[in-house]
Amino acid sequence: MLQTKIFSCLLLIGVSFNIKAQDSLSLFKKLNNQYNQERDFKNNFYYNPASMSGYSTSSFSEFSTGYQDNKENIYRQQLGNGSKGLTIKAQSFQKLKPHRFVWGSAGYQNLKTSIVNWNETLDYERIAPYITSDSVGGKLNLERYLFSGGYLEKINRWTVAGQVSYSAQMGYRSKDPRMKSTTSDLRINAGVNYKIFREYEAGVFGEFNKYTQNNSTQFQSLLGRPYVYMMSGLGFSNALFNGGTHPTNTFEEFAYKGGFQISNKQGKDFYLQASIGKSNNIKSYNDGSNTFHNLSDLKNEQFEVEGAKFFNINEKHRIGLLTEYTASQKTGSEYGYSMNTAIMTQIFKREAYRRENYTTFVKGFYQYNQDSFSITAVPFFGYEEVKERRLYPNSGQKFVYSYFGVNADYKQQVNNNQMFTFQPYFYKRMVNQSINALNTTGNAAVNEWVLQDYMFQASEITTFGMVLRYDFKLDKLPALFVTAQYQTQKIQNTNNNFAGASIGITF
């Protein structure tokens, strides 16, 4: 019943916008604008909602449904060895008037993830290392929901815009350990741009984010149950709260981000932007009583800067260069309690964990346009440094990576009402340095997991993939499309494979 309501809601979003009559332009020209690769290339530019006025020269909408099957032989145990399931999504961008724009999207996903181990929580990358773990795990059923909408208004030299997005997840398992987790993630973005000279604009933007995860693990077997750990990083855990019979955890996070942006010709000539953000994620614990105890406080400070420049060489050739840098520092503080009194009492809070991540990417852009086809190539190179360490006891690891690869796009008009798209891609992660300064925990199973996780992060990864798409339009109907995607990823001389397909309409 719930899936039917979601499907109906998505379909309503897809068709509720104004459907404009088809003009004499070919399907190729319409879709070449709708799926402009330059838009994806500078996707972070539209993080400022006030810059959405340059998102597209025309209105468009899309509705699609698809199925994916991801099988991984080499994987991080806490993320599972692949998933398969259904995805439904709708999105639209509408120019209501020359000075007014709206956009929105919605999505639903139903996945079954296999063999998730040492992790009984969702959103691992967000809350790690303070996850709940056990040695058994199992298959995980996961449902995701997403809704977002934005509005932009131009007033003389000013452009004001805002966007609200909400996503939710529900993960559960029907066998012991019976994990159940729900998440909610609310984001509110706002931006203001001002035209300072000719087509030069300067703007500021900001975001507020409220995130919650409620997580519990239940057992029904009378023959025994696995031991539950309150992890605190690199295999270590909080011994005082380990082993609960019905552990319940709550993660509460508040985050904010602010930045500035300067651009020319709505980012088509150049843009430069920078932002800084902070978040604070508190984990609390309960094992059947009415009292919750804080276990950890994870703070994340992030700085991002990005700039891009584009050039036109006559009307057919366009080139660009983009550079981005991101620095992130997570600091985890842990709480200590005393049980020497009738009531458990907090006796300290100390910083015990830190993860630093520094990433630099340089991307090139080349596009060649003709009346009946277009070719786009995006080569890139990246460098990343990751440091992770904890105190009490001392333990740590470090990784230095290099990345290189290329994404390509070829669109070909078959006739006035048909189009073919081919998108091959390749990237490689090379490990320049990996340092293992991990300390043993006294638990052989945990030590084995931590070592396997280190070996995965210390492995080179080579990825090849491609997407094929065919669009066609029938009389008196919106344009239809079918897509197919295949990807193979080589890690430790073993291949992980992904396949997916979807069908949809554009209008």
Side-chain angles (χ1 to χ4, degrees), residues 127-130 232-234 296-301 327-334 350-358 385-399 438 457:
I127 66 175
Y130 299 112
S232 57
L234 303 177
S296 63
D297 186 347
L298 184 63
K299 296 181 179 180
N300 185 15
E301 298 178 312
S328 173
Q329 180 176 290
K330 290 185 176 182
T331 304
S333 297
E334 298 164 12
R350 65 188 181 189
E351 290 187 1
Y353 173 84
R354 178 168 293 182
R355 178 183 174 91
E356 299 173 70
N357 190 302
Y358 306 98
E385 182 176 342
V386 180
K387 301 176 183 178
E388 186 177 16
R389 57 190 182 275
R390 68 161 291 112
L391 305 175
Y392 319 112
N394 293 327
S395 187
Q397 56 188 5
K398 178 182 177 180
F399 306 96
L438 298 169
Q457 295 182 79

Side-chain angles (χ1 to χ4, degrees), residues 37-43 310 320-322 363-365 378:
Q37 294 301 299
E38 183 177 327
R39 188 181 300 130
D40 294 336
F41 178 73
K42 59 181 185 183
N43 182 63
F310 298 90
L321 181 67
L322 182 150
K363 302 178 182 179
F365 180 86
V378 180

Side-chain angles (χ1 to χ4, degrees), residues 120 134 136-140 171-181 215-221 225-226 228 245-247:
E120 298 295 339
D134 64 73
V136 176
K139 295 183 179 180
L140 179 66
Y172 58 95
R173 186 182 296 122
S174 57
K175 296 182 180 181
D176 288 358
R178 298 171 188 264
M179 172 265 210
K180 182 178 180 181
S181 182
N215 175 274
S216 64
T217 306
Q218 303 289 332
F219 303 93
Q220 294 186 9
S221 174
R225 59 180 181 81
V228 179
T245 56
H246 300 291

Side-chain angles (χ1 to χ4, degrees), residues 186-427:
L186 173 66
R187 295 179 184 270
I188 301 174
N189 294 66
V192 178
N193 284 358
Y194 180 75
K195 186 174 290 187
I196 54 180
F197 175 71
R198 292 182 179 176
E199 295 190 65
Y200 289 88
E201 285 186 306
V204 294
F205 55 90
E207 177 190 81
F208 170 79
N209 178 216
K210 171 65 169 65
Y211 171 85
T212 302
Q213 179 174 173
N214 293 307
N215 175 274
S216 64
T217 306
Q218 303 289 332
F219 303 93
Q220 294 186 9
S221 174
L222 301 177
L223 301 178
R225 59 180 181 81
Y227 195 71
V228 179
Y229 302 86
M230 297 294 121
M231 288 295 178
S232 57
L234 303 177
F236 294 93
S237 58
N238 191 322
L240 181 60
F241 294 95
N242 286 345
T245 56
H246 300 291
T248 299
N249 301 298
T250 299
F251 298 86
E252 293 279 355
E253 180 178 296
F254 291 91
Y256 62 90
K257 180 185 288 188
F260 75 91
Q261 186 180 77
I262 184 169
S263 64
N264 185 32
K265 297 181 180 179
Q266 297 179 319
K268 296 178 178 63
D269 180 35
F270 84 91
Y271 71 87
L272 176 67
Q273 65 184 43
S275 65
I276 185 169
K278 293 184 178 182
S279 67
N280 189 30
N281 190 309
I282 297 178
K283 177 184 180 180
S284 57
Y285 171 89
N286 177 275
D287 193 20
S289 67
N290 294 322
T291 303
F292 278 81
H293 299 282
N294 290 340
L295 297 190
S296 63
D297 186 347
L298 184 63
K299 296 181 179 180
N300 185 15
E301 298 178 312
Q302 191 171 46
F303 171 74
E304 300 171 327
V305 61
E306 179 176 310
K309 173 65 178 174
F310 298 90
F311 304 89
N312 288 325
I313 304 175
N314 61 54
E315 297 181 355
K316 297 180 179 179
H317 301 271
R318 183 165 172 80
I319 60 176
L321 181 67
L322 182 150
T323 302
E324 58 181 345
Y325 172 77
T326 301
S328 173
Q329 180 176 290
K330 290 185 176 182
T331 304
S333 297
E334 298 164 12
Y335 295 78
Y337 292 87
S338 172
M339 296 185 65
N340 293 328
T341 59
I343 300 176
M344 186 178 293
T345 305
Q346 179 186 327
I347 56 176
F348 67 81
K349 176 185 177 182
R350 65 188 181 189
E351 290 187 1
Y353 173 84
R354 178 168 293 182
R355 178 183 174 91
E356 299 173 70
N357 190 302
Y358 306 98
T359 306
T360 302
F361 268 91
V362 178
K363 302 178 182 179
F365 180 86
Y366 171 75
Q367 189 171 76
Y368 177 70
N369 283 300
Q370 281 282 10
D371 292 336
S372 60
F373 73 91
S374 69
I375 299 173
T376 306
V378 180
F380 60 86
F381 173 80
Y383 178 86
E384 181 180 20
E385 182 176 342
V386 180
K387 301 176 183 178
E388 186 177 16
R389 57 190 182 275
R390 68 161 291 112
L391 305 175
Y392 319 112
N394 293 327
S395 187
Q397 56 188 5
K398 178 182 177 180
F399 306 96
V400 179
Y401 304 116
S402 292
Y403 301 87
F404 70 90
V406 61
N407 298 319
D409 177 270
Y410 173 70
K411 293 183 174 69
Q412 175 67 58
Q413 174 178 289
V414 179
N415 57 43
N416 203 50
N417 292 318
Q418 299 181 60
M419 189 183 84
F420 171 78
T421 303
F422 175 52
Q423 296 175 320
Y425 56 91
F426 161 79
Y427 71 85

Side-chain angles (χ1 to χ4, degrees), residues 44-63:
N44 289 336
F45 175 70
Y46 303 108
Y47 184 83
N48 176 8
S51 296
M52 287 292 289
S53 59
Y55 191 73
S56 173
T57 58
S58 60
S59 300
F60 59 81
S61 299
E62 177 189 294
F63 176 83

Side-chain angles (χ1 to χ4, degrees), residues 17-18 20 52-60 93-103 150-155 158-160 266:
F17 293 105
N18 295 327
K20 300 185 179 180
M52 287 292 289
S53 59
Y55 191 73
S56 173
T57 58
S58 60
S59 300
F60 59 81
F93 176 84
Q94 298 292 314
K95 298 181 68 173
L96 303 181
K97 294 181 180 180
H99 63 280
R100 186 174 298 157
F101 303 80
V102 294
W103 61 92
Y151 177 84
L152 180 146
E153 182 88 19
K154 289 186 174 182
I155 307 171
W158 296 90
T159 302
V160 181
Q266 297 179 319

